[in-house]
Amino acid sequence: MTGPLDGVTVLDFTERVQGPYATQMLGDFGAEVIKVERPSALTPDGRADERYQAPGEPAPTSLYRATFLANNRNKRSVVLDLKSAEGVRAARQLARSADVLYENFRPGVLDRLGLGYDELAADNPGLVYVSASGYGPDGPYSSRPGQDVLAQALSGLGQANSAPDGRPLPVGLSITDVLGGLNGAAAALAALVHRQRTGEGQRVHVDLLGSALAALSEHVVHLLNSDAAEPERRTAMHGHGYIPPPYGFYATADGYIALSSGRQIPQICEILGLPDLTQDARFADFAVRDQHREEMEHLLESRLRTRCTADWMQLMVARDIYAAPVLTLEQAARDPQVTATGRIVTVEGRHGPVHLVAPPARFSRTPLPPPTSPPAHGEHTQEVLSGLAVRSTEGSTR
């Protein structure tokens, strides 16, 4: 099992989430990913980068550790000092045989180190050079530090996710980092298809702000092409600025349940024992349900609170209703669907098993290779640089 990207080499100059998430996807799909790391394995706050638990150590408390483990499987780690002539020379040599170079420093950092696109493309015209940043390579914000929660703020995502009192809220995960990684991986693959047809590499840019706006396109397009106002988060259960109930999370006797279909209101009302609701003029169509959103949501929730989530789900599933229980992360990781489809995988780390989330895609003709553990800092430096020396010697004797 080699994966559809077998034979593709990715040179990975990425840190944190946006870039590593993208290169991990390419590694999942079978590419050889060589992660170039700084000589000092320190976290951003200066602590030693302990990527794995030592034997007998309690569960990891460092988010940085979890962030690394979650975004760096299927990679080899090479330590290079890019502030030294020797380190830059080795990086340039690696880039000569790479198919993709992926970096997520601020615009211009690698250019100043002599590892910009123009310099590397002169030696390797087929190189796909992906730069991921906060706001893109130009514009008034290009030199600002970019980070997930900042992109959520600038894109309107935080406001779209606001609390019922109007306070804007960031989404509870690094969502723009993940979206940026997905978009960057897709862009790299598109550039590889172009290179296969023409032999030409190219420069690719992807950024957090653009990725967030693209994800919000339904809201933005609706707002800019109609007389609609900004969507309001008017109730705690409300899940979408423009979609009236039933849509969102509703309390039950022991938890919460998600509902998502205005087309199934008669069936939902029948299950809930609210048949008269379908004859109520306040809820007759999309527009009036939006006007009377709070009233309908509280009627639905008052009934849902009378029974537990599992009971309601049994009734909903029997009628093919768009519904799901609202799970915690721990419950989600042990959910029967997640378990049956192998969404959690276990690999052997330096001090024992490491549990990771599996790649979300499957391929019928090119099954993905088994995942490998995220590498130790510099674990493959000697192996990779020895290979460079061998190639350099072979080249000089031809």
Side-chain angles (χ1 to χ4, degrees), residues 22 30 32 36 72 92 97 99 115 125 140 200 262 265 276 290 362 369:
E32 178 190 17
V36 178
N72 288 283
R92 290 182 68 101
S97 58
D99 300 289
L115 296 170
E200 300 173 334
I265 289 175
D276 293 343
D290 189 49
R362 303 182 190 181

Side-chain angles (χ1 to χ4, degrees), residues 237 239 243-250 256-262 264 268-269 271-272 300-301 304 312-313 316 321-326:
M237 58 205 78
I243 299 180
Y247 190 97
F249 293 172
Y250 300 87
Y256 295 88
I257 190 170
L259 299 177
S260 172
S261 181
Q264 295 181 313
I268 292 173
C269 289
I271 291 170
L272 296 181
L300 294 175
E301 189 165 88
L304 286 164
W312 288 124
M313 280 303 305
M316 299 282 183
I321 302 297
Y322 284 74
V326 180

Side-chain angles (χ1 to χ4, degrees), residues 114-167:
L115 296 170
Y117 172 69
D118 291 337
E119 293 94 336
L120 299 186
D123 294 334
N124 181 1
L127 181 66
V128 172
Y129 191 111
V130 184
S131 292
S133 62
Y135 310 119
D138 43 35
Y141 301 163
S142 61
S143 62
R144 291 187 185 181
Q147 195 266 349
D148 175 81
V149 76
L150 308 181
Q152 290 195 45
L154 280 169
S155 65
L157 180 57
Q159 185 62 50
N161 191 50
S162 60
D165 64 3
R167 182 188 181 98

Side-chain angles (χ1 to χ4, degrees), residues 64-75:
Y64 184 77
R65 172 188 294 169
T67 298
F68 184 89
L69 293 178
N71 295 289
N72 288 283
R73 63 174 175 263
N74 295 332
K75 300 181 184 182

